[in-house]
Amino acid sequence: MSDDTGGLDEGEGRDDEVRGARRIPGPRAAADDLDPSRFVPPPPARRPEPVPEAELAQEPEPTQAPEPAQEPEPVQAPEPEAALGRPRVDEAGPPALVLPHRVLKALLGAWALTACSAAETEAVEAHLTECAPCADEALRLRDAVGLLHTDRSLDLDPMLRTRVLGNCLKRRPATIPVPEWAAPYDAETARLDALLRDIGGSEWHAPVRLKWFEGERGVNRKTTVAGVIGHLMAVDGLVSAALGLEDPLAESVPGAPRRSSGLPLAPTRRTETYWSAARRPLTRGIREPWRDQSHALIRTVSFVGRDVSELSVSYGDFALPLQDALLDRAFECWVHAGDIAEGVDYPYEPPSAAHLHRMIDLAARLLPAALAVRRRAGLAGPARQLVTAGSPGRSLHLEVEGSGGGDWYIALDSPAALGSAEHTVAQVALDGVEFCQLVAGHVPPVEAAAGQRGDREAIRDVLFAAASLSRL
């Protein structure tokens, strides 16, 4: 621009405008601008119009104003305390912010999130003491904010599926419900399936170490995530065969060997046979046949009804009623799901308390027979007090604490005897999950018990018998 404008170019004019303006506070809610007394920006500086040369020649030359860079005007910037909304020590504080009701109501959400300025907070809180509807709304919003900031695990509650299904069935009962004794298997297979859905393709080949107990020591076997699912499917095939369904071992290994007695292979040999028959390492493709097999089992027992609960399922070396066999399969599904979760570094919760209690009860009922097997193998102390079948005898009080816990009395001298509180000679206290880890062979027997009292030999025999219930 020419000198006709008083010697100031366009850039210098804008610089004067900035220097002459009041300090602009930091970002705040739009409601602050509703009160003109809070901040009224000055009108933009008007640029002087050029003067014609004729008039310029007749009028005296205007006095050149000093440049702000040489003599800057003092800027009325607030002190740090004032900028933060605190009154200065030597002056009276600023007047309280006065806002209409509709603006204060709109600020309740920001107040609950502590996103208001100090003046807004003071105005909102003063209003809450006078307006009951706004006070109630403020309490509701503050409670909602508390829920947003709760530190919780990202994993779903293991009981969520049960509650959702329960609410659905209350509104529309199932035409053919799942038997109560099959519910743990239904829940644990569904939880494992959800875990498998979330893991990546490469994680199916992640190493997993399976642990169990044999004789007096723990053993382990290394496999993959896909190998674990193949193991579960092979052993579930024992239940499928008992129900007349297709056996995956018979499909993958035509003419699969059986014992000379005609009994099926034990779970360990079934698994080894299934793994060795695979032409290549198992992949994520194993999920669908395992999932279809578990669904077929649940549908079949649901259609057949209660009459099938006592059907015998052979494990080769022993047999279980169908209802206990499905409970055993639910237990193993949970244990191996934990092995998979550990292998891929993923958290995994125990079963619901009701289902965990059923699993503990099954293990407690199997302990007298397991103790007798170890005694015949010379791995447990001799019987001390034989009684007739069905009569109470020497017992160990098994006290399981925590989720799914309870009290069980384990017969020590004969599987046919009854456990009795009156004939208790020892007591062992364990946590519910810890006891299940012992039964799964994941915890050494000498480290399992949280509390022991009474006959030391009986305690040792029962703890080792519990570990001997584990298998591949």
Side-chain angles (χ1 to χ4, degrees), residues 103-116 124 137-138 141-142 145:
V103 176
L104 292 168
K105 185 176 181 180
L107 287 174
L108 291 180
W111 172 84
L113 292 168
T114 63
C116 291
V124 170
E137 180 67 15
L141 291 173
R142 181 59 60 87
V145 170

Side-chain angles (χ1 to χ4, degrees), residues 288-300:
E288 286 302 320
W290 168 80
R291 189 169 182 264
D292 293 342
Q293 182 189 47
S294 63
H295 287 180
L297 287 174
I298 295 169
R299 285 195 303 269
T300 302

Side-chain angles (χ1 to χ4, degrees), residues 181-192:
W181 46 267
Y185 179 76
D186 182 26
E188 293 310 311
T189 53
R191 291 208 303 146
L192 175 55

Side-chain angles (χ1 to χ4, degrees), residues 8 12-13 15-17 19-20 65-74:
L8 298 176
E12 291 174 342
D15 190 42
D16 280 344
E17 291 174 13
R19 290 193 179 93
E67 294 184 5
Q70 299 173 357
E71 295 181 6
E73 297 181 1

Side-chain angles (χ1 to χ4, degrees), residues 136-393:
D136 292 339
E137 180 67 15
L139 289 177
R140 286 193 294 269
L141 291 173
R142 181 59 60 87
D143 291 341
V145 170
L147 295 176
L148 293 176
H149 291 282
T150 301
D151 294 331
R152 297 182 60 186
S153 171
L154 295 178
D155 294 322
L156 295 179
D157 184 349
M159 286 298 296
L160 178 61
R161 181 175 184 271
T162 302
R163 289 198 300 268
V164 171
L165 289 176
N167 291 334
C168 293
L169 293 176
K170 285 180 181 178
R171 298 193 174 195
R172 181 178 295 179
T175 306
I176 304 176
V178 175
E180 185 178 359
W181 46 267
Y185 179 76
D186 182 26
E188 293 310 311
T189 53
R191 291 208 303 146
L192 175 55
D193 187 50
L195 171 63
L196 298 178
R197 183 181 61 244
D198 290 343
I199 66 176
S202 61
E203 291 177 319
W204 281 86
H205 303 286
V208 177
R209 191 166 295 278
L210 303 180
K211 305 175 184 177
W212 68 99
F213 193 81
E214 287 183 359
E216 297 290 313
R217 63 186 182 89
V219 294
N220 61 79
R221 170 69 183 273
K222 186 177 180 181
T223 182
T224 64
V225 172
V228 174
I229 302 304
H231 162 60
L232 289 174
M233 189 172 70
V235 183
D236 282 353
L238 294 169
V239 184
S240 298
L243 290 171
L245 302 176
E246 295 179 352
D247 183 356
L249 184 63
E251 293 180 356
S252 59
V253 187
R258 297 175 67 89
R259 291 171 177 253
S260 58
S261 60
L263 296 175
L265 296 177
T268 300
R269 287 195 59 191
R270 283 180 64 88
T271 300
E272 296 287 355
T273 303
Y274 184 80
W275 282 344
S276 61
R279 298 178 181 177
R280 61 189 66 180
L282 297 176
T283 64
R284 64 185 307 167
I286 193 66
R287 178 193 171 201
E288 286 302 320
W290 168 80
R291 189 169 182 264
D292 293 342
Q293 182 189 47
S294 63
H295 287 180
L297 287 174
I298 295 169
R299 285 195 303 269
T300 302
V301 298
S302 300
F303 275 99
V304 174
R306 296 182 179 179
D307 296 338
V308 78
S309 62
E310 296 299 325
L311 178 68
S312 179
V313 177
S314 175
Y315 281 71
D317 297 329
F318 61 95
L320 290 174
L322 178 60
Q323 57 182 344
D324 287 345
L326 277 185
L327 191 56
D328 168 77
R329 303 312 305 139
F331 175 80
E332 189 168 356
C333 185
W334 162 47
V335 170
H336 288 326
D339 295 333
I340 292 173
E342 182 179 355
V344 298
D345 195 21
Y346 196 91
Y348 202 77
E349 296 296 326
S352 65
H355 294 171
L356 189 62
H357 181 84
R358 286 174 172 265
M359 297 175 187
I360 296 172
D361 179 71
L362 174 62
R365 288 188 282 114
L366 294 176
L367 276 177
L371 184 56
V373 171
R374 287 182 59 82
R375 184 175 290 123
R376 288 193 297 268
L379 300 176
R384 298 184 184 178
Q385 183 182 352
L386 295 176
V387 297
T388 58
S391 300

